[in-house]
């Protein structure tokens, strides 16, 4: 994973405050997070219907017992994330706000929710990022040692002041990559 430059971060932010300039708030795991995800999933399905090919709860709030920023991360898979007309207008009409547009990163788009603190990450069917998100989540769910390593890393980094939240995410990259490598290796072993 590559550290993103300030220029790149500023370029891909479409709406909202670009700079964070503070520490990161981490909360203990909240049993309400899965229910908040389910509510958003149902709303997105009503809006996009069969255009939503997959909707998954990802990120730290999807891992029971893991401290997290109190933001529900959701993975939405559409046929082609580059064809914004297939989903963006419908989402925006229902209060979702496009925050990030990254055409050079698998056409990733990220929306904020209308009334719940979420990050809705949109990728195209077949994106290599989909499997990474799901492998990482599932590995953390079933491996207490990896969960503890990740949580301890997050706690230490959260104490620092970060110009951009993305800088905090980038600082976790080495640990994320290690856990993801372990998850990929385990997945390969299980398939043999």
């Amino acid at each position: 994973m590559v550290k993103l430059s300030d220029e790149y971060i500023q370029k891909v932010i479409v709406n909202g405050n670009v700079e964070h300039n503070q520490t990161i708030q981490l909360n203990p795991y909240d049993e309400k997070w899965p229910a908040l995800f389910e509510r958003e999933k149902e709303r997105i399905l009503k809006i996009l219907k069969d255009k939503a090919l997959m909707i998954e709860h990802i990120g730290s709030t999807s891992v029971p017992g893991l401290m997290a920023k109190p933001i529900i991360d959701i993975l939405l898979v559409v046929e082609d994330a580059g064809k914004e007309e297939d989903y963006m207008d419908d989402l925006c009409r229902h209060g979702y706000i496009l925050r990030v547009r990254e055409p050079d990163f698998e056409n990733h788009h990220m929306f904020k929710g209308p009334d719940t603190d979420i990050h809705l990450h949109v990728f195209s069917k077949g994106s290599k990022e989909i499997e990474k998100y799901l492998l990482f989540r599932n590995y953390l769910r079933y491996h207490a040692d990896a969960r503890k390593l990740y949580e301890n890393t997050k706690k230490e980094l959260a104490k620092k002041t970060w110009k951009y939240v993305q800088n905090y995410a980038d600082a976790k990259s080495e640990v994320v990559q290690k856990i993801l490598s372990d998850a990929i290796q385990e997945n390969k072993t299980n398939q043999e």
Side-chain angles (χ1 to χ4, degrees):
M1 298 192 178
V2 176
K3 179 186 179 308
L4 301 178
S5 70
D6 288 0
E7 294 79 22
Y8 180 82
I9 293 168
Q10 292 169 359
K11 181 178 99 174
V12 301
I13 299 287
V14 177
N15 286 303
N17 186 12
V18 176
E19 292 190 17
H20 183 69
N21 294 317
Q22 53 189 310
T23 58
I24 301 295
Q25 176 190 342
L26 294 177
N27 290 3
Y29 182 78
D30 189 331
E31 298 290 335
K32 296 176 189 163
W33 290 338
L36 291 172
F37 161 72
E38 288 298 332
R39 188 181 77 187
E40 284 301 315
K41 178 180 178 179
E42 289 306 312
R43 183 184 345 216
I44 294 163
L45 283 171
K46 284 180 185 171
I47 295 168
L48 296 181
K49 299 176 179 48
D50 61 352
K51 293 178 188 174
L53 305 179
M54 176 192 292
I55 302 173
E56 290 282 338
H57 190 183
I58 58 170
S60 295
T61 62
S62 71
V63 180
L66 184 60
M67 289 187 80
K69 295 188 313 261
I71 300 169
I72 309 299
D73 282 295
I74 300 173
L75 170 67
L76 168 62
V77 178
V78 297
E79 190 66 38
D80 181 353
K83 294 176 101 179
E84 295 177 347
E85 64 275 11
D86 287 351
Y87 61 92
M88 189 177 312
D89 288 347
D90 291 332
L91 289 171
C92 291
R93 252 193 316 278
H94 288 85
Y96 291 84
I97 300 167
L98 178 66
R99 288 289 310 273
V100 174
R101 178 187 286 126
E102 292 184 278
D104 298 332
F105 178 59
E106 308 241 349
N107 273 315
H108 171 244
H109 290 67
M110 191 272 284
F111 293 81
K112 293 293 279 179
D115 55 22
T116 302
D117 205 356
I118 69 157
H119 288 163
L120 177 63
H121 300 273
V122 183
F123 284 98
S124 301
K125 181 173 78 172
S127 166
K128 62 182 184 263
E129 295 304 309
I130 298 165
E131 183 179 12
K132 287 180 186 177
Y133 276 117
L134 299 178
L135 274 172
F136 186 75
R137 176 199 68 191
N138 294 342
Y139 195 81
L140 288 176
R141 283 179 174 175
Y142 297 105
H143 294 83
D145 55 335
R147 199 166 47 248
K148 193 69 173 161
L149 171 65
Y150 189 49
E151 183 170 89
N152 288 340
T153 301
K154 289 172 22 149
K155 284 182 189 176
E156 281 305 307
L157 293 173
K159 296 174 189 174
K160 298 180 181 181
T161 298
W162 299 95
K163 182 174 181 180
Y164 300 104
V165 175
Q166 183 61 47
N167 298 143
Y168 162 76
D170 291 344
K172 297 184 298 182
S173 291
E174 187 176 320
V175 169
V176 167
Q177 198 56 51
K178 183 216 177 302
I179 294 169
L180 189 55
S181 293
D182 292 346
I184 290 168
Q185 185 57 47
E186 181 178 271
N187 194 46
K188 283 181 186 174
T189 302
N190 290 341
Q191 290 179 353
E192 292 175 351

